[in-house]
Amino acid sequence: MSNSSEIRVFAPATVANVACGYDVLGFAIDSPGDEIVVRHCDKPGLHITKITGDNGKLPKNPAQNCAGVAALDLLKHLGMTDRGIEMEIHKKMPFGSGLGSSSASSVAGAFAVNQLIGNPLSKKQLLPFAMAGEASADGAWHADNVAPCLFGGIVFIRSNDELDFAQIPAPKNLWAAVVHPDIEILTKVAREILPKEIPLENATQQIGNLGGLLCGLIQEDYGLISRSIHDVIAEPRRQKLIPDFYKAKRAALSAGALGFSISGAGPSVFALCEGEEIARKVADVISKVFSAIPIENQAYVSRINPTGVHVVQS
């Protein structure tokens, strides 16, 4: 087996929930993201030989690493567990950021190995293997990060159990301003503070907002998008985990954002905007709110990424 064949892939960060779409809506952005390199080797089995950007936090045992789990699950499905493959993982996004870090690694792991062995499966067929990788990291089974990372664009998940999803067209001039404050929020904690029961009034309002947001995206109706990006269930409880959240929200809306909320379980926050100029202004004012606390933070401005995971040149 030749050692010269090598594949490098990039899997982008994602924004999940998108305010009113808890566990059922997400979109991909251009950066940050993770890179994974795979190559053939003579030693049978999958071997993680190098991990960078993780400060020593991630295990090299493939069975304990979400990228390795996704790849192993794929190889087992194909009856190729004895195939010799080396994997390098280059983490280029923060852990626990609310930007789908484990999803990016899981998607990249499955996609890279599939590419290396000749693309026996389509992207759609890779979804359950990437899901298995992410589930190994956080114990949850929801595709609102994994699906947009894999396919790109905006993805609505009708059923997480059945992995039944639909891609939603992104308006041509829709931009995202995403800011990650350097604080840690455990997904487990962010889920535990959510209500176990939801009043009918809140459920009705949330369903209306989600339907309005989907219609606004499809129709490129920025006014409807703006009126619909409201979360009456998770955000009111999770905002207390993010310092000066409502101050950042007011600043974003005053700067022209269509809407503002928490990305995934946080602490990252996002704003949807009409146009790049507004998105950059919004990202700047959000960043200044966190810097004034002071909390170090990173801002990303991006169109909705239409590609998702893809092969890059070495």
Side-chain angles (χ1 to χ4, degrees):
M1 180 79 64
S2 169
N3 292 330
S4 62
S5 179
E6 179 177 288
I7 300 289
R8 179 183 294 267
V9 307
F10 173 80
T14 48
V15 171
N17 299 339
V18 196
C20 49
Y22 181 78
D23 277 2
V24 299
L25 191 64
F27 63 82
I29 58 177
D30 288 336
S31 66
D34 286 348
E35 284 191 5
I36 283 185
V37 181
V38 292
R39 63 181 69 88
H40 297 295
C41 69
D42 295 326
K43 184 179 179 182
L46 176 67
H47 312 280
I48 298 176
T49 58
K50 184 178 183 180
I51 304 177
T52 65
D54 70 325
N55 294 320
K57 293 181 179 179
L58 297 179
K60 287 186 177 179
N61 182 342
Q64 298 173 355
N65 182 294
C66 61
V69 169
L72 286 172
D73 215 36
L74 170 64
L75 292 168
K76 182 178 180 181
H77 171 77
L78 296 172
M80 295 183 177
T81 52
D82 60 345
R83 183 71 66 94
I85 298 174
E86 292 180 351
M87 175 182 286
E88 296 179 8
I89 301 171
H90 302 287
K91 296 295 296 181
K92 297 187 176 183
M93 56 192 298
F95 293 94
S97 59
L99 296 175
S101 177
S102 59
S103 294
S105 290
S106 301
V107 167
F111 182 79
V113 168
N114 189 60
Q115 288 280 325
L116 186 69
I117 61 179
N119 281 310
L121 300 185
S122 67
K123 268 192 174 184
K124 186 172 183 179
Q125 290 172 315
L126 290 177
L127 181 57
F129 307 110
M131 290 286 291
E134 189 194 35
S136 73
D138 66 11
W141 186 267
H142 47 84
D144 52 345
N145 285 116
V146 172
C149 181
L150 185 60
F151 302 108
I154 305 170
V155 181
F156 171 69
I157 296 92
R158 185 201 67 81
S159 169
N160 280 294
D161 290 337
E162 300 170 32
L163 293 182
D164 186 9
F165 66 92
Q167 290 184 276
I168 307 298
K172 296 179 183 65
N173 205 27
L174 187 66
W175 286 70
V178 181
V179 179
H180 171 249
D182 287 342
I183 59 174
E184 183 177 6
I185 295 178
L186 298 177
T187 301
K188 180 182 178 184
V189 173
R191 284 186 173 268
E192 285 175 348
I193 64 174
L194 297 181
K196 299 297 183 288
E197 296 182 354
I198 301 169
L200 180 60
E201 180 181 358
N202 286 357
T204 302
Q205 187 176 355
Q206 193 87 337
I207 292 168
N209 285 337
L210 178 57
L213 178 55
L214 295 176
C215 289
L217 292 169
I218 292 168
Q219 297 172 4
E220 297 197 30
D221 185 334
Y222 293 98
L224 182 54
I225 291 171
S226 182
R227 297 194 299 275
S228 303
I229 309 178
H230 297 287
D231 174 14
V232 299
I233 295 173
E235 181 186 301
R237 292 158 179 83
R238 287 179 166 176
Q239 56 83 20
K240 66 185 72 173
L241 302 175
I242 303 172
D244 279 355
F245 173 82
Y246 280 119
K247 187 174 182 179
K249 183 169 187 172
R250 287 192 298 271
L253 296 176
S254 296
L258 297 170
F260 174 97
S261 194
I262 303 167
S263 177
S268 291
V269 295
F270 79 96
L272 288 180
C273 306
E274 184 177 0
E276 180 180 6
E277 183 179 352
I278 293 175
R280 294 199 178 280
K281 180 180 178 183
V282 167
D284 184 59
V285 299
I286 297 170
S287 179
K288 285 179 178 175
V289 169
F290 290 126
S291 295
I293 292 175
I295 295 176
E296 293 290 325
N297 59 90
Q298 300 82 42
Y300 308 96
V301 176
S302 169
R303 287 186 188 272
I304 307 302
N305 178 325
T307 308
V309 65
H310 59 278
V311 176
V312 296
Q313 297 299 319
S314 299

